[in-house]
Amino acid sequence: LRAETLEKYKVKAEKDDKGNIIKHHYPFHNKKGEMVGIKTRLVSNKKFFGSGDTSKTNALFGQSLFRPGGKFVTICEGELDAMAAYELLGSKWPVVSVKNGAGGAVKDVKESLEFLESFDCVVINFDNDKVGREAAKKVARILRPGKSKILTLPEEFKDPNDMLRQNNRQAYVTSWWAARLYTPSGIINVSDMDDSYFSRE
């Protein structure tokens, strides 16, 4: 991640006496934009712990940095992924993250539904695994029909941070633009119909 991206998201990196990054500190805010807590990630074992009054954290990570409304907003499964996606997209559109991974995604999205619904399109970019794919569908069902697209990464990549570390920006951008409009089970998306569908009697 570039220093500008960390600065944009107000994320601090803590180093040891040898200059190695050992902790990330992610700020969390309420809907008024007030910082109410900090989530710390230990780099060595990827474990998290929080400080502050996290019960007042009712906004998505990064939500306070972007004005509501606009064409696109992308929502990721984790803080690093949100910053990576923002960087991969050339910092053109807002990118936010749920606060507690796939398991808390539905709750987090419901709390920020007004913010997300203010955009023309919500691109859901959760981890490329079974848990992430199922959570993406659950989140898509909460949003208004025609509002959400689910991004599918190339199978060899787990998440946006994985793609950034391997310098695959173009592959990410291609996947982002190719994200498919979510349609509830049983409803056919016109773009998915081929000529044979219309030729049926």
Side-chain angles (χ1 to χ4, degrees), residues 26 33 73 84 90 95-96 112 120 139 147 150 163 172 180 182 184:
Y26 308 111
V73 62
V95 183
V96 296
S112 294
D120 295 340
V139 166
K147 173 74 66 172
I150 295 179
M163 297 193 75
Y172 182 81
R180 298 173 68 87
Y182 174 77

Side-chain angles (χ1 to χ4, degrees), residues 27-199:
F28 278 83
H29 300 76
N30 59 25
K31 291 180 181 178
K32 295 180 181 179
E34 302 166 335
M35 192 173 79
V36 295
I38 295 176
K39 182 178 178 181
T40 297
R41 177 180 184 267
L42 302 177
V43 174
S44 60
N45 56 19
K46 299 183 180 180
K47 290 186 177 180
F48 294 90
F49 63 88
S51 60
D53 191 350
T54 55
S55 66
K56 295 181 179 178
T57 304
N58 57 7
L60 299 167
F61 172 74
Q63 181 176 330
S64 64
L65 306 175
F66 304 103
R67 296 177 61 181
K71 195 163 184 63
F72 299 107
V73 62
T74 300
I75 181 168
C76 296
E77 193 176 316
E79 296 85 8
L80 274 177
D81 290 332
M83 292 188 289
Y86 183 74
E87 200 165 297
L88 288 163
L89 291 171
S91 310
K92 292 181 179 180
W93 297 290
V95 183
V96 296
S97 167
V98 295
K99 305 185 292 288
N100 298 298
V106 169
K107 178 179 180 294
D108 291 347
V109 167
K110 285 182 176 178
E111 290 181 341
S112 294
L113 196 57
E114 184 178 356
F115 171 78
L116 295 171
E117 289 278 7
S118 71
F119 293 88
D120 295 340
C121 178
V122 179
V123 180
I124 305 168
N125 182 195
F126 286 177
D127 286 2
N128 195 19
D129 55 24
K130 183 178 180 180
V131 174
R133 288 189 289 270
E134 287 302 314
K137 291 177 184 177
K138 290 177 181 178
V139 166
R141 294 187 193 112
I142 300 170
L143 298 160
R144 282 183 298 176
K147 173 74 66 172
S148 58
K149 291 185 175 182
I150 295 179
L151 192 162
T152 301
L153 296 177
E155 62 180 15
E156 64 267 31
F157 299 107
K158 179 178 180 290
D159 51 40
N161 188 47
D162 190 16
M163 297 193 75
L164 180 65
R165 286 190 291 105
Q166 297 189 46
N167 196 29
N168 274 280
R169 179 185 176 187
Q170 188 54 55
Y172 182 81
V173 172
T174 298
S175 299
W176 190 86
W177 282 112
R180 298 173 68 87
L181 184 69
Y182 174 77
T183 53
S185 179
I187 299 177
I188 299 174
N189 186 356
V190 174
S191 64
D192 292 335
M193 300 177 185
D194 57 23
D195 292 339
S196 63
Y197 180 88
F198 293 100
S199 64

